[in-house]
Amino acid sequence: MTTMTKKTYSVIAVAALAVIAVAWWRFGSAPDGRGGGDPFADLNMLPKYQSDEATRQRTQAEIDGTKALYEKEPDSWNTWIAIGNLRALMEDYPGAIAAYQKSLDIQPDNLLGYRNIAAIYKYNLRDFSKAETYYRLAINNKP
């Protein structure tokens, strides 16, 4: 083999590994709404301040209602907005963003997905630059 051929094979191998890694990340069995797996697998833990019985019951009702929606319409952007809202309620902000992004993958012009991501960045993660980016996307993608 020539040096050029070895380099070509090396580049192809690295590119193939990168594609596999991206596919694993995007479609793997992550429970946080990124795809694959059960998006409700880890939603049985409430934030510490939500420990009273009434709050637990309301939260469980939210989980049950969102699960029912997911079972009925797993490929609906509305379902993924609901999953994102539930994850935000549980203070799982990366999971909420991933679910809102899934809603945008399904319906790219849904303003709610962009607005909700922007709100998470603004109010919860305090990343104003990313918040502004998503607010601008919402404004620019209005129907």
Side-chain angles (χ1 to χ4, degrees), residues 9-119:
Y9 285 124
S10 296
V11 168
I12 291 170
V14 169
L17 288 173
V19 167
I20 290 169
V22 168
W24 178 264
W25 175 80
R26 179 70 180 93
F27 301 107
S29 60
D32 64 0
R34 289 192 312 244
D38 178 4
F40 304 96
D42 59 348
L43 285 179
N44 53 6
M45 298 286 292
L46 286 170
K48 291 178 184 172
Y49 66 86
Q50 293 184 353
S51 60
D52 65 276
E53 185 59 30
T55 302
R56 280 195 298 273
Q57 288 178 357
R58 283 192 308 274
T59 303
Q60 189 59 53
E62 277 292 316
I63 292 171
D64 294 344
T66 305
K67 279 183 181 180
L69 181 61
Y70 177 75
E71 289 169 3
K72 183 179 175 185
E73 301 178 42
D75 296 323
S76 167
W77 68 271
N78 287 317
T79 298
W80 287 96
I81 292 290
I83 292 169
N85 292 344
L86 185 58
R87 288 201 166 272
L89 174 69
M90 305 298 281
E91 297 181 359
D92 173 13
Y93 304 122
I97 290 170
Y100 296 141
Q101 186 59 56
K102 175 81 172 175
S103 80
L104 291 167
D105 293 346
I106 295 168
Q107 182 68 37
D109 64 350
N110 91 71
L111 302 177
L112 202 50
Y114 291 115
R115 195 226 30 141
N116 287 2
I117 292 172

